[in-house]
Amino acid sequence: METTNSILVPAVDEEESSGNRGSMWDLDQKLDQPMKEEEAGRLKNMYTQKKSSSLLVLRLAFQSLGVVYGDLGTSPLYVFYNTFPEGIKDPEDVVGALSLIIYSLTLIPLIKYVFVVLRANDNGQGGTFAIYSLLCRHAKVDTIPNQHPTDEQLSTYSRHIFHEKSFAAKTKRWLEATALRRNLLLMLVLVGTCMVIGDGILTPAISVLSAVGGVKADLPSMSSDVVLVVSAVILVGLFSMQHIGTDRVGWLFAPIVLLWFLLIGGIGAFNIWKYDSSVLRAFSPVYIYRYFKRGGWSSLGGIMLSITGTEALFADLTHFPVSAVQLAFTMLVFPSLLLAYTGQAAYITKNPDHVVDAFYRSIPESIYWPVFIIATGAAIVASQATISATFSIIKQALALGCFPRVKVVHTSKEFPGQIYIPDINWILMLMCIAVTVGFRNQSQIGNAYGTAVVTVMLVTTFLMILIMLLVWRNHWILVVIFTVLSLIVECTYFSAVLLKVNQGGWVPLVIAGAFLIIMYVWHYGTVKRYEVELHSKVSMAWILGLGPSLGLVRVPGIGLVYNELASGVPHIFSHLITNLPAIHSVVIFVRVKYLPVYTVPQEERFVVRRIGPKEFHMFRCVARYGYKDLHKKDDDFEKRLFESVFLFVRLESMMEGCTDSEECSLYGQQTLKSGDSQLTDNRNMISLNVDSAVTSPGSDGIVPAKSPALMAASNVFGSAGQPTSHEMELDELEYLKSCRDAGVVHILGNTIVRARRDANFLKKISIDYIYAFLKRVCRENSVIFHVPHESMLNVGQIFYV
């Protein structure tokens, strides 16, 4: 039977512990006693540390400009044009629109996201799937039932325990009650994810096209076709440089964005002073009411573009602390945007005919071309923010079983979250160019853009309700206030963008629909495949009936059987041994499993258990990863796997004195010696089971604890795979090492699911066509595990669901 795992953690000696205590203040002296020189120095060091940490936050706030705020910062390029595409009939409409922009920026990016939603990060990871992982840890809403109690003992598996009668506990039980509610929650997360992907397509299109189109303000004779060609070339160059990584791109673009915000803020202040300072009355919300009274509802789709990029702000939260992002927004981004929009409104009230290219027209002539160059660079940065967010959120979806296997390239050794996905990158590029060339103008792209943005915000609001109840355990009154304020603003915008569906708003719906079908069908097929493997796993009674030789010849070597089960023996193993005349002397079932946590520490990566009696030499090793971790099946992975198995054997041998059904745990760094060989545990997580009782059929982990000397290997194996009397004298650890030296074969289990003949039409289409097609075009397991072809064996079996 399987038991909970034991965690091996490094011991802390007295000196280290006292050193840690020394970093705290010991206020045991009298108040009137003069401060000693040592304590005065300690106070000075504390001040220096605070100063250096403040400088670090400032540096990170500066760097975040190049990754996080590009999209939000380039909105002034196209907001007023998309708000008044047919011109301005009344100058008061400009003041009303400006008032809406001011309060939209205040309520959504500033209050909701910067000070509320950013706190819902999963240890620094943002986005809809990060919120979903938090919910999966606090409620059993994960639709793939592959979790094990040992997973909850991870140091990164943080969650709260609810009081049975609390409102959070009632919400948890309500959410877990039916599969329909869990599936609806997953569908909500997938819709938000697909809209972010659509945002990654539309942002580069509208940002680059708006920036390049500004050249017509100074060169009106330039044709629109030239603008489209230049925009397409810039887009190709932008997507072609993604492989160098967001860290270098961020450092390259951060000065550009900083200069951009300073310029638009300065130009805005200049225009307020030069043209019409009376637009400052837009800070009164009364003008919003008057604007709606004059029929300004239909222009909300354009005004909503002023808050685009807010969702990317949360999704790109991987590399920057919340304090740095908050500092950059409140001290630079927010005031610069307010000045920029107010300055444009002041210019437009005096020049209503220039609303089409109001931003470039409002630039003083002496600095037009420098601003144009910086605007083009800022537009590229805006595109970078959403592209990076798309990569991050697809990586999270892939790890949680909601996206087909694609190649993920980690572009930075220092920052694991900085990734590049080549296949997605080129798909985004082609679709982005198609949108740019197909629409040819900012207005229709803006309508499409608005639909994607407001949908993501609504999804985030609904997920935040659950976060506030389950994770933060806020009072329900606070939850109601947050929900009502958010939905009033977002539903108002949503109702407006629905009117624009036939004017370009259908594009993100089509894009999101296509990706939603791909993601949901892939997840549905993954769940069905896991369920059929779980229900068809081999009983331990059948394994025991075969005997230690498993009814075959046990040949020297180790067989690594890759499968999807976290416990039990997969049915594909019985298919293997009934069709082959021999099997390896040692069999290790390997399961690479992703958990709803952002990362699994290296020292807690592996969980090892024994399957059956010791004479069978069968083990299970589960390698656990978080959605931010990189799984790379290389020599280091294989080395750590074998080290974990060897350590398990040594610790199990040490624990043989335990009583039946007793769980034995060891804490502290262990250095184990066997003869001349030395094995250090590397603090891997090992699960020890020393139960001597035979468990029920289907259980995984029968260990007779009080067996005699362990069997080992030599260069000679018996005809039926049984060790000779000389081998009985050797240690099992030496036996395992000699088997490893004899050779390792990677056996890849490939479970194929097909719809039954009596299945409904939709299920047949989903399983037999869409899921089967996705499996054919996605990466093979052998490529993911980097298995050499000469030592690979594929074992497939078809199941009907």
Side-chain angles (χ1 to χ4, degrees), residues 281-560:
R281 67 184 186 273
F283 281 86
S284 171
V286 174
Y287 291 91
I288 297 177
Y289 169 75
R290 295 178 182 176
Y291 183 62
F292 282 140
K293 197 173 180 180
R294 288 193 300 270
W297 192 276
S298 59
S299 64
L300 283 177
I303 294 174
M304 201 212 55
L305 295 180
S306 62
I307 56 176
T308 57
T310 307
E311 68 289 338
L313 182 150
F314 182 46
D316 280 329
L317 195 66
T318 304
H319 313 298
F320 306 103
V322 174
S323 58
V325 176
Q326 291 174 336
L327 178 66
F329 187 84
T330 54
M331 300 302 294
L332 177 65
V333 178
F334 185 66
S336 297
L337 289 175
L338 291 183
L339 286 172
Y341 287 117
T342 307
Q344 280 192 56
Y347 177 82
I348 293 172
T349 54
K350 299 300 182 181
N351 303 277
D353 296 335
H354 295 170
V355 70
V356 175
D357 47 6
F359 176 80
Y360 286 103
R361 293 275 190 173
S362 64
I363 299 173
E365 187 176 352
S366 58
I367 60 171
Y368 172 82
W369 284 107
V371 173
F372 172 77
I373 295 173
I374 295 172
T376 305
I380 296 174
V381 178
S383 307
Q384 180 63 45
T386 53
I387 294 171
S388 301
T390 303
F391 290 160
S392 299
I393 208 163
I394 287 179
K395 171 65 166 61
Q396 295 173 5
L398 189 152
L400 297 177
C402 295
F403 202 85
R405 296 184 297 267
V406 292
K407 183 179 181 180
V408 178
V409 179
H410 286 248
T411 58
S412 174
K413 294 182 180 180
E414 185 178 357
F415 303 108
Q418 294 188 355
I419 59 174
Y420 164 66
I421 305 178
D423 299 334
I424 300 301
N425 182 68
W426 304 124
I427 291 174
L428 291 179
M429 185 190 74
L430 293 176
M431 298 184 73
C432 184
I433 293 175
V435 168
T436 304
V437 176
F439 283 124
R440 302 178 67 89
N441 66 78
Q442 305 171 29
S443 179
Q444 288 188 322
I445 299 177
N447 294 336
Y449 197 13
T451 305
V453 170
V454 73
T455 305
V456 176
M457 291 181 178
L458 282 171
V459 169
T460 302
T461 298
F462 291 130
L463 293 176
M464 283 299 301
I465 295 173
L466 296 175
I467 290 292
M468 296 177 76
L469 290 173
L470 295 178
V471 182
W472 295 347
R473 294 176 291 179
N474 293 131
H475 196 278
W476 65 270
I477 295 179
L478 292 177
V479 179
V480 169
I481 293 174
F482 171 82
T483 304
V484 170
L485 290 178
S486 298
L487 291 183
I488 286 176
V489 178
E490 292 162 6
C491 288
T492 302
Y493 280 126
F494 188 69
S495 63
V497 297
L498 288 179
L499 302 175
K500 305 287 186 178
V501 169
N502 62 341
Q503 302 174 27
W506 57 270
V507 173
L509 300 179
V510 172
I511 295 173
F515 277 97
L516 181 62
I517 292 173
I518 292 173
M519 297 175 73
Y520 190 78
V521 169
W522 180 264
H523 181 267
Y524 177 76
T526 301
V527 171
K528 289 298 179 184
R529 189 179 65 181
Y530 182 82
E531 288 177 350
V532 76
E533 288 191 11
L534 185 65
H535 295 152
S536 62
K537 65 181 182 180
V538 180
S539 69
M540 284 305 303
W542 185 79
I543 295 290
L544 289 174
L546 297 176
S549 67
L550 299 178
L552 304 171
V553 176
R554 301 294 291 267
V555 298
I558 295 180
L560 299 180

Side-chain angles (χ1 to χ4, degrees), residues 209 315 523 535 568 585 650 801:
L209 186 61
H523 181 267
H535 295 152
S585 301
R650 296 295 295 163
V801 296

Side-chain angles (χ1 to χ4, degrees), residues 711-737:
M711 295 179 294
S714 66
N715 295 328
V716 181
F717 284 78
S719 59
Q722 300 292 339
T724 65
S725 58
H726 174 68
E727 294 164 357
M728 292 287 290
E729 301 175 359
L730 299 177
D731 182 78
E732 185 183 18
L733 184 61
E734 296 299 324
Y735 178 74
L736 293 175
K737 289 181 178 180

